[in-house]
Amino acid sequence: MSEKLRTTRRRYVKGATVAGVAGLTGLSTSAAARQGGPIQMGSILPITGALSAYGSGMQKAANLAAQNVNDAGGPLGRQINMNNADSETKPARAIQKYNSLVNEAGIIGFVGAASSGVSVPLAQNVASDQVMQVSNASTSPALAQIGYNEDRTVKYFGRTAPNDGQQGIVMGRIMNDDKYIGADKAAFLYVDNPYGQGLAEKASAQFEGETTAMVGYSKRSSDYTSTLDKVFNGDPDAVGFVGYPGNGRTILKQWSNGGYGGEWVLSEGLNSSEFLSSLSNITAGMYLASPDPEQTKGATKFEQMMGDQAGTLFAPHAYDALFLQALAIEAAGEASGTAIAKNIRRVSRPEAGSQATANETTTADMSGGQSSPPQAKVVTVDEFQKAKDLLSNGQDINYQGASSPVNLNESLEPLNQFAIMQVQDDGSTKVLETIPRSFFRGKLGEGGAGTTTTQG
């Protein structure tokens, strides 16, 4: 964002109508803030474009969270006003919508984007604007290191979706372990976007053998024969495939018809029952690395409230992204992007106190009779009033969400439990091994220099 735009934002008389953005009030945000008026929040989600199949459900979930919060009196006794914008699944358009939400609506935080390719450029602006961004579906490892202020003391980007670094670790483990593939050489085929490249690079880094090729492919192509020739040029034992069902169908059919060989490890983006079953004669025996988060007591209530859109991919994560921001405002006693950024982790974790670290352990992890840190009180979906009561009594809270327990680490992202799966003869999947969250602690470069959906 240019300095001119930043200056414009500081001087702008807010409250004007934003074209294409729903839900604005006529009261200027500066006046609203002084009068304890509505807290301006928003969403930037794919209502149109490549991920439009998911956008409306994600937006409904974020708005549902705001409604639940408002029904409980809202944060600090104020109502949240949602300003919803369509990213169109296009980075340039999303930036335009973001500038309108910040400069005109005066938002202090928002949910989105879905695609990592859209979230990355947004996250590069939020710290200078002191606006909190919480993505519900962007999984690129690069986002663990984006969104900090200049001295890296405050991070204005977080997410409720898992970092694909976890998935890369699991994909590498499948290739390394003799009980699965035990490969000496592997190649990686990935959709040519931040999600695909980031996950493929992480998986390659975890593979202990020789990586013979890293091959990106375009979603606009219809013939992948030359792409497959590059993948198999070094005669790999295994192929890590990061992609989506649409092109994945063509790629796997051409692989099968070409007789290339090799064992495949599929990313979560290909974990579609329709996709796997329709190609069951090809996909049977292939491995999958898949998030397998623990169920929370709020998940069922969320599904009931969402109705026929309950199954929308990453919709539960959108609910959690808004709810956590509201909790952070309440805990901070202040409605600002910086207040959210500094307190969102505090309200997400089981350990009482805001200084918990990513590598904290529980009694079960310790030896020598050491005791666990004090435990925060659990709140879940549609329990904002309970959270307010606990906070007002000086009690720490631990939000366990619709998507997972969402225990945020120092990079403001959750660690998820994962599953190693194998595709069966009928296209169904079987869990071969469950990998607990504790396995991933300290492995993603949390909180410092060092780490680059399904629709990520």
Side-chain angles (χ1 to χ4, degrees), residues 132-155:
M132 187 66 196
Q133 174 184 0
V134 183
S135 172
N136 60 306
S138 296
T139 55
S140 169
L143 286 159
Q145 297 301 320
I146 302 177
Y148 285 96
N149 63 353
E150 287 188 6
D151 63 6
R152 295 184 67 84
T153 57
V154 183
K155 192 171 194 286

Side-chain angles (χ1 to χ4, degrees), residues 10 50 53 84 106 148 261 448:
R10 289 193 292 268
N84 297 314
Y148 285 96

